[in-house]
Each structure stands twice: as C-alpha cells, then as structure tokens.
Amino acid sequence: MGKLVHLTCVVILLNPPLLSQSDTSSHFVLWYAQPATEWNEALPIGNGRLAAMVFGGIERERVQLNEETFWSGGPYDPSRPGAAKSLPEIRRLIFSGEYMRAHTLYARTQMGMPVEQMKYAPLVNLLLFFPSQREVTAYRRELDLDKAVASVTYNVGDVAYRREYFCSPVDQVILIRLTASRPGSISFVANLQGVRNIEHSNYGTDYFMMDGEPPNTLVVRGRSADYLGVPSRLRYYCRLEVSTEGGTVSVDAIDLRVSGADAATLVISAATNFVSYRDVSANAQRRVKATFARIKGKSYESIKAAHIAEHQRLFRRVSITLGSSDAAAIPTDRRIKTFTSHPDPDLAALLYQFGRYVLISSSRSGSLTPANLQGKWNQDSNPMWDSKYTTNINTEMNYWIVESANLAECLDPLVKMMIEISRGPGVRVARTHYGAPGWVLHQNTDLFLACAPMDGPTWGTFSTAGAWLTTQMWDHYVYNGDTAYLRKIYRVLKGSVEFFLATLVVHPTRKVLVTCPSTSPENFPKREGNGRYYDEITGLDLPGTSICAGSTIDMEILRALFADFAESSTVLGVDARIRTKALAARARLAPLQINNKGLLDEWLEGWESLEPQHRHLSHLWGLFPGDHINPRDTPQLADAVRKSLNARGDGASGWSQAWKINLWARLLDGERAFKLLGNLVTENTVPNLFSGGGRVMQVDGTLGCASGIGEMLLQSHSHEIALLPALPSAWKEGRISGMRARDGFELAFQWQEGKLVSVTVNSLLGKNCRLRYGETVSEFATTRGKRYTLNGELVLQH
Ligand code: FUC
C-alpha cells in the first residue's frame, strides 16, 4: 500500500461561541412544495467521501450516489519525455512575435499524453418504487443546513409519511428512514442500479453487476471505464441493507421488497480500491463490509445524533442574520426568482450558510480528495469538464471561504493533494517539460494528479496554477499561526519557488523577468496574427492563440508566492539564500501597467481582449484573491481595476459573477457587489441553490458567492480587519459571529440602521489587532485567548 499523507489543520477554539445559536437554526432550511423533476432541483447531502442527491419523488424516489474516488481510468502519468528540448525555440518564437508558430510547436511537443484527463463518475442510483398514491397533500421537501438532514413529508388520506436522509461523516454511511403515522403503511420496492455509460458501452454489465443477497441486501460491484488509453483500474462496491419494524422484507434477484412495515431504515455504503494517486490496491468490498460491521447494533437515532453533532461542530461556528422578511416563508425555488424584485436579505444569509454547508459536505478532514468542480455531486458519466479540478480559477474559488467562514480543517484534502503533487507528479513535469527543479501544476488536475499542460496550448500554458494554490496553503498559516502545519507545507512553497526561479526568463527588450510560455487563462488577446484557425489538438475552430510571455496574472501570483515564501522561510529560520533570491526576482518581475484607457493591462504588450466581456478576470487577481492592490494603498491601480471590471460587465457565468462580488467588495462598493449578487442569484442559480446555470452546476460559484458575501461584511488583509467594508443598503441590520480574520482573530459584530453597533474580538494568537470601520481605526495589542469588546466607534469597552 502506498503512503498516505494525512494532515489535520489545527483550529484553536479558546472561547465559547460569541453569539447565541438561535441565529443558526430554523431559517437555514431549503424547502420546496414539490419533488425534484431534474437533478438541479434535487438536494445534496454528503460527508466529503460519499455524496447523494435526493429527489423526493412520491411514487418513484431517486437518490443518486457518488463516491469521491470513483473516476474513469486508473493511475497514469501524462508527462511527456523530451518535452523540455523544444522550450528554447518556443520562447524564441514568442519573443519574436511568432505566436501561432510558438503555439503549434507547444501543441506538438509539450501537451500531456493523453491530452485530456480522467473523469469523475457517478456510482449508482437508489430507486424506491412506492405503490401508486392518490390524493397526496401537504407535500414538503427540505434540506436543513443546521442538521445536514434532508426530509420529505406528505399525507395520503389520513396517513402522514415522512422520510429522512443524511450522510454520516462519523459512520461513513448514508441513512434513509421511512416512517408513517399509521402502522403497516410502508411498502416499496428498492433497486440499487449501476450507471450505464453510453459513451463507452451499449450495455451496462461490462461495467457493473447488480445482485440481491437475501434476506435484506442489494449490492452493486463495478469498475471504471478505460479512457483515452488509460486502462480501467478502479473497482467499487456499493451495498444497501434494509431493516424494518413490522412488515416483511424479501429479495428477488435485483428487487428488494418491503411490505406493510411500520418503519424502514435503509443503510448504504460504498468504497473503491483507491488508496492514493498511484496505488489502487485496496479491497472495496472489504472496506464496505468493515463499515457495516462498525455500525452493527447502533440505532438509527444514535447514528443520526452523532451525525448531527459532528456536523454542528463545524456548521455552528458561524451564525449570521441579515434581517428577515416575509420571503422566508416562500419556497426556495420561488425566492430565487424574486430576489431582485422583493426584499429578501435572509436569502443572502441562507446562501452564505449554504456555501459553508457545501464545503463541509464535500471536503472534510479525512476526505481523500478536495471538492472537485461539482463538489462531490455528479450524475453524468461524461460530465462537463470531466467534473475534475480546473486550477485556473475553479478549484481555488472552492476554498475561498475555508478560513474566514471558520472551516479551516476543510482545507485538509487540498493540502494533502498539494503535498502529493509537490513531491511526485509535479516534480516529474517540472523536470520533463522544463528541465527545472521544484514542481509545477498547469491548468487542470484529476484523481491521479496529472500536472502536465492539458487540453491544448490555449489553456494548458497556465503554469502558475500550483503557485496560486500554494498561496492558499500559506494563507492557512496566516489565519491559524500553526508552525507545525507550516513545516509540513514548507516544501510545497519552496518547490514552487525553486521552479519559478529556474524558469523565469529575462524579457529581451523590457529586461524584466517573465514567465514564458504564459497565458492569461482562456482569454485571447487582440493582436496581429490572431484569427480563426483549426486547432489540431482539440479539433476545434478557435479564435486564435493565447500564448504569450509574462501575463499579468502570472506576475501577480508570483509576487504573492515569493513574498509568502520569504515570510515562511523567515518564520522557520531556514533557506536565507533562496529567500534573498526570491525577493530579488520578485523585484524584477514585470510591473503592472495601466493603459491609456485607464484599464489594467491583462498582457504585458498592452493588447486588448478579443472578447472584452470575457468571464475570466485573471489580471484583477492582485485585488482579489491577492491583496497587493487595494483602494487605500494603491488607489491608482484600484481605479484601473474598477474600470476594467466595468468594461468586463456584470454578466458571464456563475463563478465569474461570484468573483465579481468579491472584487467589488474589495473595491468597497457594497451596492455594486449586491447588484452582482442579485445577478448571480437570478441568472445563474438553480433551484437547489447551486450556482451554475448554462450547461452545468459547478460548486465554485456557490462557494465563491459565499466568499463574496463574507467579503462584504468583513475583510482582513494588509494586517488590518475592516468591518462592514462593503455593506449594501439592503442589509440594514444584522449580526454575524464566528467569522475568522487573518493573524488569528475570531469576530462577532452587529449593526443597526446600517451602522456598526458593537464588535467582539477573540484573539487566538495574541497578535496586534488593527480594526477599521470606515475611516475610524482602532489598534491595540492583544493577549492570546482574551476577548475584547468595542462599541460602534471602535472604542474598547471594559
Ligand atoms: C474554466 C472556465 C469555464 C468552466 C471550466 C470548468 O475553464 O473558463 O467556464 O468553468 O473552467
């Protein structure tokens, strides 16, 4: 068995919660007056490993299941031997302006093999067929975010039916409990069905086998699909056991029949043989049987109580109220539609808590993988963008709330991934493709940690994805001050710095340091030579090539990476020589430029964009998630960002609008941030509150939206904590407690009539605290573990 790196991020909880828990409870419910008719209406439950979507059907219930390590293919290495040889010529072509030729050479020599990555796949569907029900009344389907329990209730005649669904992180099972107000009323047939992958086979049984095991069990055994020449190596096993109170249970082939029961409990678990990105030697069936053995003798109520307690340990750290309105009584799907026409501040609070719920449910300490493009919820064998990790914005955005929303340990799976990449696959690609030390990750990765440039040079040339994620690894230290953690991730930082110190090149005319090849993710510059052409890698007609040197985002990320590394090596007292080099290189990076329209240049050469309203906002990185642009310290740059944002417009995809909320909040423009929130909710939010719209749900927009709401209420950067920095007039009164700020602070504050009333600060690390509310600033030394209360004018109270 391969070695697994398991990390637990330390969270320091010194004081009890700052406000009462009443804010966390009943109004954090998503509810609907009808069953889901499609996947975007179904309700997500998950424990970071297993995930399910609950449809709540009356006569036909569907619960669609995923297991985080079930992907197509198996371990593989897409790095391309000999790739580094062509690098000098690609650079020469770029610097001499022959971009299309550089693109073609890159395409032919640098792209990973295979050029695409593996796909996150659905596991099974549980179907429950109930006898036909006439005259169903009082139907309600809900997801209680505070308990992490979904439920369905309805009446037939005078019988009240209730179903509950949850996915326990404690016992690693999904539980479904069916009850009725009259004894003997529960009858149904259950099927546990494999998922037919029509792109790979005309029939299902090449990929899975379903079986009934009397007296009360259904199982599915399956395997992953071969994909792009990568052989199927994953195996899974999924098991359903049913127990009843009263009535009978029988199994006939693949049908499990329950008749005349008073209540029924369905227990499902699943596993694969995945151990690590290069090891698939576990036994899936043995894993699942061990899970069932561990819960033997436990009651439904005790499993549920342990589940709720564990969920609330994380969920209840933050409470938020933004004011209520009568809209809270309206079903969630209808509230989305009326968000901009009817005051509903509480929906923003619900979206914030939904984001936290989604992260808790898809990325837990102990999960083997981070939240992917769809979190862990995916029903398609061939999902959009493979439901993998797109690392030119999407994976990063998934984790923007992790620290401020007080969920630090949910970062663990991403930390684990980064450590593994920086020790293995990323090192191989650095060596093979660049002849460089350290490690590198391009614009995508997957379960097997592919790090080579993927998909085509238009996208794959993004070489700072790993550096971006590394800045998020550092941020965890800034929030929590845990040096043991810093030691564990130090090599991630150092390896990334070593890679860029070795690969940055001097721009021949500007004499600054640049990345080359480079790109500004997915955007095409308007420049000579760009025009439609047939791209031999993708087989698509594309508008040109995006290849360049020293894109603005690369420079911004590296400015942050080098600074973070310098600080980390100082804290640990190591590598003074590399620190000096990193800081020297930082000072020589291509500077940010403002063009004659007052916009921030996206490219060094000052090109405009072929698509002025492009969804990516890469060059604005320095404002957010970065922090070296801000209205107070760099007003001219902040103004250029503002103009650039205006030029980009308020539309685009869900995650793009979510990014814009964060950016407008950092520009201290609460009204505009609120407008973007309205656009995101009404244009790109589906009934179950996931953001997506367009072609598919992606959790990035959901989590980025929660981050944006957080940034409107509290910001911490440049060693300063800003309270209500971008409060829109729509949120007149509110309170929040449990939000975290950099340098180890936990805050609670309230406001009335749009004005701060009081704030309480818990000091977790004993650092200097500098609070800002508008132009009022208060600065004071703190003692670790002590709590400080201030009034609305930021005067310390005793
Ligand atoms: C990036 C975006 C797309 C999509 C994909 C998963 O490539 O440009 O819009 O979100 O990631």
Side-chain angles (χ1 to χ4, degrees):
M1 290 232 286
K3 244 170 95 190
L4 268 188
V5 186
H6 264 289
L7 277 183
T8 302
C9 304
V10 174
V11 175
I12 310 157
L13 269 184
L14 294 174
N15 285 312
L18 294 161
L19 282 184
S20 85
Q21 289 307 326
S22 58
D23 296 333
T24 62
S25 49
S26 59
H27 59 287
F28 292 120
V29 170
L30 280 56
W31 76 275
Y32 308 83
Q34 68 286 328
T37 52
E38 55 169 30
W39 195 78
N40 279 339
E41 295 171 17
L43 294 171
I45 54 173
N47 65 5
R49 187 178 77 81
L50 300 168
M53 291 291 263
V54 177
F55 283 65
I58 296 168
E59 291 179 349
R60 177 186 184 272
E61 169 63 307
R62 176 181 172 206
V63 180
Q64 183 265 316
L65 259 103
N66 289 95
E67 201 276 353
E68 62 170 336
T69 59
F70 187 57
W71 291 56
S72 60
Y76 72 109
D77 171 15
S79 64
R80 186 132 169 188
K85 274 195 275 201
S86 66
L87 202 57
E89 176 61 4
I90 293 169
R91 285 179 173 150
R92 191 191 68 74
L93 289 167
I94 290 172
F95 286 132
S96 53
E98 297 184 72
Y99 300 108
M100 214 55 229
R101 287 186 63 203
H103 176 107
T104 305
L105 186 58
Y106 192 102
R108 293 184 161 213
T109 58
Q110 296 286 326
M111 297 313 304
M113 291 189 307
V115 80
E116 275 179 73
Q117 292 166 64
M118 298 300 111
K119 300 180 279 197
Y120 183 49
L123 202 73
V124 300
N125 284 291
L126 170 69
L127 294 168
L128 303 178
F129 301 98
F130 295 92
S132 67
Q133 313 258 21
R134 262 164 297 153
E135 289 170 45
V136 171
T137 55
Y139 180 92
R140 182 180 166 106
R141 179 170 60 100
E142 68 167 52
L143 175 63
D144 183 334
L145 303 183
D146 183 48
K147 293 196 173 71
V149 175
S151 60
V152 171
T153 48
Y154 57 89
N155 298 339
V156 177
D158 59 354
V159 183
Y161 289 89
R162 177 175 176 82
R163 302 180 210 150
E164 285 182 355
Y165 315 71
F166 65 90
C167 180
S168 169
V170 181
D171 290 299
Q172 292 298 324
V173 287
I174 292 173
L175 254 71
I176 303 171
R177 169 98 175 145
L178 287 73
T179 53
S181 61
R182 183 187 298 158
S185 306
I186 309 266
S187 299
F188 62 89
V189 174
N191 264 195
L192 199 56
Q193 302 183 347
V195 180
R196 180 177 163 193
N197 185 342
I198 40 171
E199 265 76 3
H200 288 263
S201 157
N202 285 333
Y203 302 100
T205 47
D206 283 337
Y207 289 96
F208 58 83
M209 292 289 290
M210 293 154 55
D211 238 330
E213 290 180 7
N216 66 341
T217 298
L218 297 176
V219 299
V220 186
R221 294 175 178 82
R223 67 185 190 94
S224 58
D226 302 334
Y227 188 46
L228 299 169
V230 177
S232 148
R233 299 271 309 281
L234 288 170
R235 302 291 178 266
Y236 74 82
Y237 178 84
C238 180
R239 181 179 184 89
L240 162 73
E241 289 189 13
V242 178
S243 59
T244 60
E245 282 125 74
T248 58
V249 185
S250 61
V251 172
D252 178 9
I254 59 165
D255 291 338
L256 184 150
R257 186 176 303 274
V258 169
S259 302
D262 305 337
T265 305
L266 285 64
V267 185
I268 308 171
S269 200
T272 75
N273 56 341
F274 177 89
V275 178
S276 77
Y277 71 94
R278 56 183 175 182
D279 179 356
V280 288
S281 64
N283 182 314
Q285 179 163 335
R286 217 174 290 144
R287 281 177 160 175
V288 173
K289 290 207 165 158
T291 302
F292 274 91
R294 277 193 296 271
I295 59 163
K296 208 169 170 26
K298 287 192 188 177
S299 69
Y300 173 80
E301 287 306 329
S302 73
I303 294 176
K304 183 179 161 191
H307 157 73
I308 291 175
E310 171 55 18
H311 174 71
Q312 290 181 343
R313 184 179 68 80
L314 301 176
F315 188 76
R316 288 196 162 183
R317 285 182 191 157
V318 175
S319 73
I320 177 170
T321 308
L322 295 176
S324 65
S325 75
D326 53 2
I330 299 171
T332 309
D333 43 350
R334 283 177 37 210
R335 281 175 86 179
I336 295 169
K337 296 199 177 104
T338 56
F339 184 66
T340 46
S341 57
H342 188 96
D344 190 2
D346 199 39
L347 184 61
L350 185 64
L351 284 163
Y352 183 76
Q353 291 293 40
F354 183 62
R356 296 183 68 246
Y357 170 87
V358 165
L359 193 61
I360 293 170
S361 309
S362 61
S363 181
R364 276 186 156 268
S365 189
S367 303
L368 291 175
T369 64
N372 64 47
L373 197 61
Q374 295 184 200
K376 299 273 160 81
W377 299 276
N378 165 40
Q379 67 166 346
D380 294 318
S381 302
N382 302 287
M384 281 301 297
W385 295 291
D386 312 320
S387 189
K388 56 181 185 280
Y389 300 95
T390 305
T391 48
N392 63 20
I393 174 63
N394 316 81
T395 305
E396 288 86 350
M397 187 178 281
N398 283 359
Y399 288 89
W400 282 353
I401 60 164
V402 74
E403 305 295 340
S404 60
N406 214 334
L407 296 173
E409 57 274 77
C410 294
L411 187 70
D412 281 359
L414 187 64
V415 175
K416 171 181 168 300
M417 176 188 259
M418 294 305 290
I419 290 179
E420 289 178 344
I421 283 179
S422 69
R423 290 185 181 169
V427 174
R428 228 170 11 253
V429 175
R431 203 169 41 226
T432 321
H433 289 243
Y434 297 84
W439 64 274
V440 63
L441 162 69
H442 294 80
Q443 129 275 7
N444 277 328
T445 192
D446 61 5
L447 182 67
F448 307 107
L449 306 187
C451 287
M454 305 305 274
D455 293 351
T458 308
W459 305 277
T461 33
F462 187 56
S463 65
T464 48
W468 182 347
L469 286 163
T470 301
T471 65
Q472 293 181 214
M473 300 295 103
W474 164 253
D475 219 24
H476 178 80
Y477 172 76
V478 176
Y479 272 91
N480 300 287
D482 173 6
T483 18
Y485 163 81
L486 184 58
R487 256 180 230 111
K488 275 186 187 136
I489 56 134
Y490 178 68
R491 277 174 57 193
V492 178
L493 282 144
K494 183 175 168 182
S496 186
V497 166
E498 284 174 329
F499 173 79
F500 286 103
L501 286 179
T503 56
L504 282 169
V505 290
V506 178
H507 190 285
T509 54
R510 296 166 188 268
K511 305 297 176 205
V512 287
L513 285 180
V514 290
T515 42
C516 185
S518 165
T519 187
S520 187
E522 312 197 14
N523 202 2
F524 297 99
K526 200 190 227 177
R527 65 183 171 198
E528 215 179 310
N530 253 357
R532 296 216 78 88
Y533 77 104
Y534 174 78
D535 182 70
E536 63 178 319
I537 299 290
T538 53
L540 295 172
D541 256 355
L542 292 176
T545 172
S546 67
I547 208 164
C548 67
S551 64
T552 300
I553 186 175
D554 277 2
M555 299 298 99
E556 292 178 305
I557 291 174
L558 293 186
R559 215 163 268 128
L561 174 75
F562 288 149
D564 296 349
F565 169 73
E567 236 180 299
S568 68
S569 67
T570 306
V571 172
L572 297 180
V574 294
D575 292 326
R577 213 173 44 85
I578 308 178
R579 185 188 322 141
T580 310
K581 278 194 184 168
L583 290 176
R586 185 175 190 269
R588 292 181 61 203
L589 289 170
L592 298 180
Q593 295 169 174
I594 299 174
N595 70 17
N596 55 14
K597 291 186 182 149
L599 311 184
L600 192 69
D601 270 337
E602 184 161 355
W603 296 276
L604 197 53
E605 287 76 8
W607 299 310
E608 290 183 14
S609 170
L610 264 188
E611 201 186 314
Q613 306 218 316
H614 196 271
R615 62 196 176 283
H616 282 263
L617 306 153
S618 310
H619 55 314
L620 313 184
W621 194 97
L623 177 74
F624 189 90
D627 63 5
H628 53 267
I629 301 177
N630 67 68
R632 246 175 276 282
D633 302 324
T634 58
Q636 279 179 328
L637 285 171
D639 195 48
V641 171
R642 183 177 298 109
K643 292 191 174 113
S644 307
L645 256 183
N646 276 326
R648 273 308 209 248
D650 293 343
S653 58
W655 62 259
S656 177
Q657 288 174 323
W659 196 348
K660 287 168 189 167
I661 301 172
N662 289 272
L663 287 162
W664 283 114
R666 281 284 172 98
L667 288 171
L668 312 175
D669 189 336
E671 298 311 325
R672 192 67 177 272
F674 185 71
K675 175 171 186 261
L676 260 303
L677 176 64
N679 288 5
L680 173 57
V681 171
T682 51
E683 294 166 13
N684 279 312
T685 299
V686 292
N688 56 20
L689 284 195
F690 274 127
S691 94
R695 286 182 287 184
V696 79
M697 163 286 228
Q698 296 181 193
V699 287
D700 43 24
T702 310
L703 294 160
C705 171
S707 164
I709 293 166
E711 288 287 318
M712 291 164 79
L713 299 172
L714 175 84
Q715 293 176 17
S716 67
H717 50 85
S718 320
H719 298 292
E720 184 175 279
I721 300 168
L723 298 159
L724 304 175
L727 186 71
S729 55
W731 300 344
K732 285 196 174 33
E733 358 241 8
R735 56 178 189 268
I736 185 153
S737 90
M739 273 190 89
R740 300 282 305 274
R742 290 183 175 81
D743 290 333
F745 297 104
E746 190 170 309
L747 290 104
F749 49 97
Q750 350 199 351
W751 64 100
Q752 279 164 12
E753 290 165 21
K755 296 255 175 317
L756 184 70
V757 172
S758 67
V759 49
T760 306
V761 182
N762 264 353
S763 172
L764 307 178
L765 300 173
K767 294 208 173 172
N768 192 57
C769 179
R770 186 179 155 90
L771 289 178
R772 171 182 287 279
Y773 175 55
E775 291 312 309
T776 311
V777 173
S778 169
E779 194 162 352
F780 50 96
T782 71
T783 305
R784 191 187 187 111
K786 271 197 81 174
R787 178 181 292 188
Y788 303 84
T789 303
L790 299 91
N791 67 14
E793 280 84 46
L794 298 187
V795 177
L796 267 169
Q797 311 290 292
H798 296 286

